[in-house]
Amino acid sequence: MRMSAGVEWGLHCCLTLAWLGDAEAVSSARLAAWFDLPPAYLNKQLQALDRAGILTSTPGARGGFRLARRPEQVTLMDVVAAVDGPDEVFQCTEIRQRGAGAGAPAHEFQQPCGIAGAMRRAELAWRRELAAQTLADLMASAPPSAAERARRHYERIGR
């Protein structure tokens, strides 16, 4: 499976905002500088997370982003779906019914394509795994220094 870079960026921003807790909102420009990312592209990812209810945004000069839910309530699948969309990764177009298969009897196609079934099962397993892990799980598995570094950096640069 291939995900956009925006998924990684969104997850890191959400994790950072989770570590900051109830701190003031953090601007997209500050988050972009934090991770050395292109600000305009990161802002698109943050807006998608806001639309999905994962982040909340405050407009204006002192505005920015905060986590909208507790870390235990945000799954990795939530972030993936918000950034890359909820559509299935594999799209079966039934090519078995074209070309040499075009003249085959209709009963050969009554059962779903085995390839489509295998891909669907794999995708469901992938989605279940991502849905079973939350930001809180990531926070618990990260070295304590990562959270402390995020807090120190925030205090140093502010919003």
Side-chain angles (χ1 to χ4, degrees):
M1 306 233 171
R2 179 171 223 125
M3 289 180 269
S4 71
V7 170
E8 178 187 8
W9 299 3
L11 284 166
H12 277 287
C13 288
C14 286
L15 187 57
T16 298
L17 294 171
W19 279 325
L20 296 177
D22 292 330
E24 293 182 33
V26 181
S27 71
S28 60
R30 292 287 186 193
L31 287 166
W34 199 314
F35 294 109
D36 193 23
L37 298 171
Y41 187 64
L42 178 61
N43 193 56
K44 289 180 184 180
Q45 312 316 310
L46 298 174
Q47 291 296 327
L49 293 166
D50 179 54
R51 284 189 300 277
I54 296 168
L55 298 181
T56 184
S57 62
T58 306
R62 298 187 55 82
F65 294 90
R66 284 190 183 98
L67 208 54
R69 301 183 241 162
R70 293 189 357 245
E72 300 82 21
Q73 298 172 320
V74 178
T75 70
L76 276 61
M77 191 66 232
D78 293 335
V79 175
V80 170
V83 173
D84 277 356
D87 295 339
E88 293 179 5
V89 175
F90 182 80
Q91 300 293 318
C92 180
T93 61
E94 280 292 343
I95 66 168
R96 66 187 179 147
Q97 295 184 41
R98 301 190 323 224
H107 74 273
E108 286 188 22
F109 306 114
Q110 288 177 337
Q111 295 294 323
C113 173
I115 293 169
M119 297 301 263
R120 180 72 181 137
R121 287 188 302 278
E123 183 168 345
L124 287 173
W126 173 76
R127 287 177 181 270
R128 273 192 301 271
E129 183 64 25
L130 292 176
Q133 295 183 49
T134 66
L135 289 178
D137 296 329
L138 293 178
M139 293 170 77
S141 68
S145 59
E148 183 55 35
R149 185 172 42 258
R151 289 185 201 101
R152 278 195 321 264
H153 186 74
Y154 175 76
E155 290 170 2
R156 194 170 45 246
I157 66 165
R159 273 181 287 99

